[in-house]
Amino acid sequence: MTIAFIGGGNMARSLIGGLLARGWRTEQIVVADPIPATLESLRTELGVRVTDQNVTAVRDADIVVLAVKPQEMQRAADGIRNAIAARRPLLISVAAGIRASDIQRWLPGVPIVRSMPNRPALQGCGMTGLYATADVSAERRAQAEQILGAVGATLWLEREQHIDIVTAVSASGPAYFFLLIEMLEHAGVAQGLTPEVSRKLAIETAYGAGAMAHAASETPAVLREQVTSKGGTTAAALQVLEERGIRDAFDAAVAAATRRAAQLADEFGADRL
Ligand SMILES: NC(=O)c1ccc[n+]([C@@H]2O[C@H](COP(=O)([O-])OP(=O)(O)OC[C@H]3O[C@@H](n4cnc5c(N)ncnc54)[C@H](OP(=O)(O)O)[C@@H]3O)[C@@H](O)[C@H]2O)c1
């Protein structure tokens, strides 16, 4: 099994690091990128094969991962169309906002898995939504899951529109948690703490709460109830948040992000070449 990465940036590097840690061999992986310094660091730091020619990378590949910026996707697809036509490798896109149906238009007859990872994938603790076109076999689904699973958790979506919601929830999601940390820090400072102390409290609390939610079999709602004693401090704070409409604000925020994801997919999917 050989895998070619088109684009050797942050996401490709993280995926390659994850794959090597899980036992893939360096000779199974080839990366194409136009930047010589990128190629040199991938070759010396990770030991994988590198080339500045996308066509060379995909020629013998069983799996091709398209890891270029969304606005570069059509150009990258166009450049490898002939080279992959005979072999028909599994194509995995990690590009935000590029629909599988658009990639299929650019690369007819190629099975496609569209994935939507998030930024924590670069730390190996990502969350990736996956969607496969109808011609992707169970074996190839498992391969895609293994590749994205090298940088965190994965889950399959049956409908491609749901990728827009994944974008709004887990791909944009880290920013919501950063905002929460920021606001908690600010609130602690307003009560008299220094920013450094308050930030430390907020970050470690977010980390601990995330770890608890990750490990628990209970739902987050049950966990919240467990840490909220009647008439206590937490209850006093949550009552204010509820009264001020935090749930409605979140619903509206995620709805806005979902709509924006669909709009961006319309824009990115329009033919540029
Ligand atoms: N980073 C994240 O947190 C994240 C999260 C979710 C999804 N993604 C998706 O992952 C994809 C890659 O993101 P990234 O953060 O890894 O971007 P990146 O660091 O900019 O990497 C992209 C690399 O591809 C190269 N490239 C551009 N056009 C190419 C072409 N035609 N053929 C081969 N290589 C080409 C770029 O070179 P130049 O710099 O010369 O253009 C760059 O080195 C994006 O589509 C993004 O939506 C990223």
Side-chain angles (χ1 to χ4, degrees), residues 6-7 9-11 33-35 54 67-70 72 94-96 117 119:
I6 303 302
N10 296 317
M11 190 50 79
D33 195 284
I35 309 172
N54 293 353
V68 299
K69 291 260 187 264
E72 289 296 332
V94 297
R119 182 65 179 72

